[in-house]
Amino acid sequence: MALSNNVIGAINFVAVLLSIPVIGAGIWLATEADNSCVKLLQWPVIILGILILVVALAGFIGGFWRIPWLLILYLVAMLILIILLACLVVFIYMVTIKGSGHLAPSRAYLEYRLDDFSGWLRRRVRSPYKWDRIKSCLSSTQMCPELNQSYRMAQDFFNAHITPLQSGCCKPPTECGYTFVNPTYWISPINNAADMDCLQWSNDQMQLCYNCDSCKAGLLANLKKEWRRVDIILLVTLVALIWVYLIGCCAFRNAKTEDLFRKYKQGTYT
């Protein structure tokens, strides 16, 4: 019994360690400007990581200090958390499966269209109330002003690999035909009615293309890239947690078997 309990305690220490990348992934999302403005995924990931940590600690304590009810609580709670983590991994994959950039003539960066992304993500940014809050948050960052410091010449900017968010929010869409002055200041063409985003562009440094659908699409493209990275971390953690959980179940069953056998040998089993 003692050996099996020690095994349970040891593998739950591994589960404690596995909670760290989950919490870290959530904290990383919270430090990214786009995710901190949207506030969709980071808190569910952080909370799930903390719950895994707490439950794993309960299993660790129950194993080493031989507290059967705590081990049973751990087995039930960890199974629920594994199911929730699996659902989150699948959900992230499904909402980020659509959406990619489009090549523009003579440009190294990509252009993005809102309709290319999943309906769930589009609904997160199409509401005027939600977008006003997100737009205000994005415009307070340095992502657009830093382009002016990095690229002085038009050709240098056209050859730059800027982020999807910068491509969608900091400049007008390429198809509008604006003339480059600097990355965030463009001269309007005679006819700029090719797309509604062309009319939304403003050289006001607090406005730029933050009202454009291209900005919403660029935000979703940024989210997709970052969420996919987090999804990989969560998937690896999920697989490891499943193995830890299965080993813990086997150890718990062996511990119960050893305990029953010991009671039987001592003549106390009825």
Side-chain angles (χ1 to χ4, degrees):
M1 178 72 171
L3 180 58
S4 294
N5 279 329
N6 288 339
V7 171
I8 294 172
I11 62 175
N12 279 294
F13 180 72
V14 176
V16 170
L17 297 179
L18 289 174
S19 70
I20 296 174
V22 179
I23 297 172
I27 293 174
W28 175 74
L29 283 177
T31 61
E32 295 297 303
D34 50 347
N35 276 283
S36 64
C37 291
V38 178
K39 297 178 181 178
L40 282 177
L41 188 63
Q42 59 264 42
W43 283 113
V45 173
I46 290 173
I47 291 171
L48 189 57
I50 292 174
L51 289 175
I52 291 172
L53 173 64
V54 171
V55 171
L57 282 174
F60 175 77
I61 293 170
F64 274 115
W65 277 269
R66 305 178 191 178
I67 309 175
W69 68 265
L70 196 56
L71 287 175
I72 294 173
L73 178 64
Y74 153 77
L75 291 174
V76 174
M78 185 58 76
L79 178 60
I80 294 172
L81 291 178
I82 287 174
I83 293 172
L84 289 176
L85 183 57
C87 291
L88 184 60
V89 168
V90 173
F91 171 77
I92 295 173
Y93 175 77
M94 294 303 296
V95 299
T96 58
I97 197 170
K98 296 173 62 178
S100 57
H102 301 270
L103 290 170
S106 305
R107 302 290 190 270
Y109 49 74
L110 300 176
E111 304 277 345
Y112 299 88
R113 302 188 185 114
L114 188 57
D115 289 338
D116 290 340
F117 294 88
S118 70
W120 188 87
L121 282 177
R122 292 201 305 270
R123 288 191 293 272
R124 305 285 76 76
V125 297
R126 269 189 167 154
S127 164
Y129 170 75
K130 291 179 180 178
W131 184 249
D132 284 343
R133 177 182 57 80
I134 295 170
K135 178 180 66 175
S136 176
C137 178
L138 291 175
S139 63
S140 66
T141 68
Q142 292 299 306
M143 67 172 184
C144 291
E146 71 182 14
L147 292 177
N148 293 329
Q149 300 172 6
S150 302
Y151 306 104
R152 302 289 183 181
M153 306 299 294
Q155 199 56 48
D156 291 339
F157 181 69
F158 297 156
N159 292 332
H161 294 279
I162 59 179
T163 68
L165 197 55
Q166 290 173 323
S167 174
C169 304
C170 302
K171 63 167 190 60
T174 301
E175 65 179 0
C176 297
Y178 278 73
T179 301
F180 178 93
V181 176
N182 67 42
T184 61
Y185 194 95
W186 300 70
I187 298 174
S188 175
I190 295 175
N191 178 15
N192 61 355
D195 188 279
M196 278 302 296
D197 281 358
C198 302
L199 301 176
Q200 296 285 359
W201 168 260
S202 171
N203 283 317
D204 182 340
Q205 297 299 293
M206 293 303 294
Q207 295 295 325
L208 299 179
C209 219
Y210 289 118
N211 289 316
C212 302
D213 280 351
S214 66
C215 185
K216 298 174 184 177
L219 171 64
L220 297 186
N222 247 47
L223 291 180
K224 173 183 175 179
K225 181 172 67 173
E226 293 164 2
W227 287 17
R228 279 296 179 91
R229 293 175 181 173
V230 168
D231 205 32
I232 293 172
I233 295 173
L234 297 183
L235 178 60
V236 172
T237 303
L238 173 63
V239 173
L241 273 178
I242 291 173
W243 278 105
V244 166
Y245 182 79
L246 291 176
I247 295 172
C249 287
C250 291
F252 181 74
R253 184 184 62 186
N254 291 339
K256 295 296 291 182
T257 302
E258 290 173 10
D259 190 43
L260 291 174
F261 185 69
R262 178 179 55 81
K263 288 180 179 179
Y264 177 80
K265 288 184 66 176
Q266 294 174 350
T268 60
Y269 178 67
T270 58

